[in-house]
Amino acid sequence: MTLDRPIKIAPSILSADFAAFGAECAAVEAQGADWVHVDVMDGHFVPNITFGPATCAAIRPHIKGVMDVHLMIAPVDPHIDAFAEAGADIITAHLEAGPHIHRTLQAIRNSGKKAGLALNPGTGIDAVGHLLDMVDLVCVMTVNPGFGGQKFIHSQLDKIRALRALIGDRPIHIEIDGGVTPQTAPLVAAAGADVLVAGSAVFRGGSPDDPTAYGENIRALRTAAEVATGRAT
Ligand code: DX5
Ligand code: ZN
């Protein structure tokens, strides 16, 4: 099947040098990244802690394109405005983060931002059907959230296919997050994903001073995904 949505590569700065976020964001964009994916973790919803809205605001001027903020926090609602003011373009919240995901998505849209809905590997897509008019993106976690560099969970491919069928022609991205490599990118793209988050597979082998490996890594992911879906020219 040939899909008409271009593949987007979204490097996750979880695998970047935390002391050089600005330079890292500029480097991956210069090397071909479509979006920059920003992982916010609270040590409560997930076992790891990263950073909050102040860091997002500091990073923002260094990103020319889309800042894709993935909130792995609970509760979410009290913090939405802070991440909106920090300059996020997309704010993604987890279905599992609280009892009122519809309210959360409404609040994200009301903040003027695009709304994303993330699903942990153990979560089905039943609820998504009731939220399709609320979301701009569904993020399928292909690892348990909290850490970079984990192994891709293959059982999620069926979920991606089911989601693609559910979404149909609606303008909703399917984003994949976790364990995306040149080996797994073709699988998720063929299943119907169009946004591929990748941390370790983008940042390995490079640095802001020597970013050519970032470009090679991004091209390898994009080519693998495009070939699998007949998008490659
Ligand atoms: C995991 C994060 C991911 C992570 C992906 O909880 O949401 O964005 O950085 O890392 P890789 O690509 O290394 O699996
Ligand atoms: Zn993420």
Side-chain angles (χ1 to χ4, degrees):
M1 182 168 71
T2 302
L3 297 168
D4 55 2
R5 295 168 209 216
I7 293 287
K8 296 185 190 305
I9 307 296
S12 161
I13 61 166
L14 189 62
S15 295
D17 176 353
F18 272 43
F21 274 150
E24 292 276 41
C25 291
V28 288
E29 280 197 327
Q31 294 291 323
D34 297 292
W35 296 358
V36 177
H37 183 83
V38 177
D39 285 308
V40 176
M41 304 186 186
D42 67 352
H44 168 72
F45 179 67
V46 291
N48 198 6
I49 299 176
T50 55
F51 47 76
T55 302
C56 292
I59 294 169
R60 175 71 261 188
H62 301 272
I63 300 173
K64 290 189 189 136
V66 170
M67 183 173 181
D68 174 32
V69 176
H70 178 192
L71 297 181
M72 287 162 275
I73 65 173
V76 182
D77 297 11
H79 305 289
I80 289 170
D81 286 347
F83 286 102
E85 282 160 22
D89 296 294
I90 303 168
I91 299 177
T92 294
H94 271 259
L95 178 62
E96 307 85 0
H100 299 296
I101 187 64
H102 189 280
R103 176 182 291 151
T104 300
L105 294 168
Q106 263 180 336
I108 295 171
R109 283 266 180 92
N110 286 341
S111 77
K113 306 302 181 178
K114 292 197 185 302
L117 171 66
L119 307 174
N120 280 336
T123 302
I125 66 165
D126 299 0
V128 179
H130 306 288
L131 299 166
L132 285 175
D133 60 340
M134 307 290 304
V135 297
D136 302 289
L137 173 152
V138 180
C139 174
V140 177
M141 294 302 304
T142 40
V143 299
N144 285 296
F147 303 96
Q150 301 183 83
K151 203 166 175 299
F152 181 85
I153 300 173
H154 283 261
S155 63
Q156 300 307 298
L157 291 169
D158 281 345
K159 189 195 289 185
I160 299 165
R161 278 188 282 271
L163 199 52
R164 169 49 64 211
L166 180 68
I167 287 173
D169 290 333
R170 293 178 182 84
I172 299 173
H173 296 292
I174 298 181
E175 177 178 76
I176 305 305
D177 191 359
V180 172
T181 65
Q183 288 71 46
T184 57
L187 307 178
V188 298
D194 62 302
V195 183
L196 277 52
V197 174
S200 39
V202 166
F203 283 94
R204 75 163 57 98
S207 71
D209 293 334
D210 183 13
T212 53
Y214 297 167
E216 290 161 12
N217 293 340
I218 289 168
R219 277 193 295 281
L221 291 169
R222 193 189 307 281
T223 302
E226 288 179 346
V227 166
T229 54
R231 290 173 171 98
T233 49

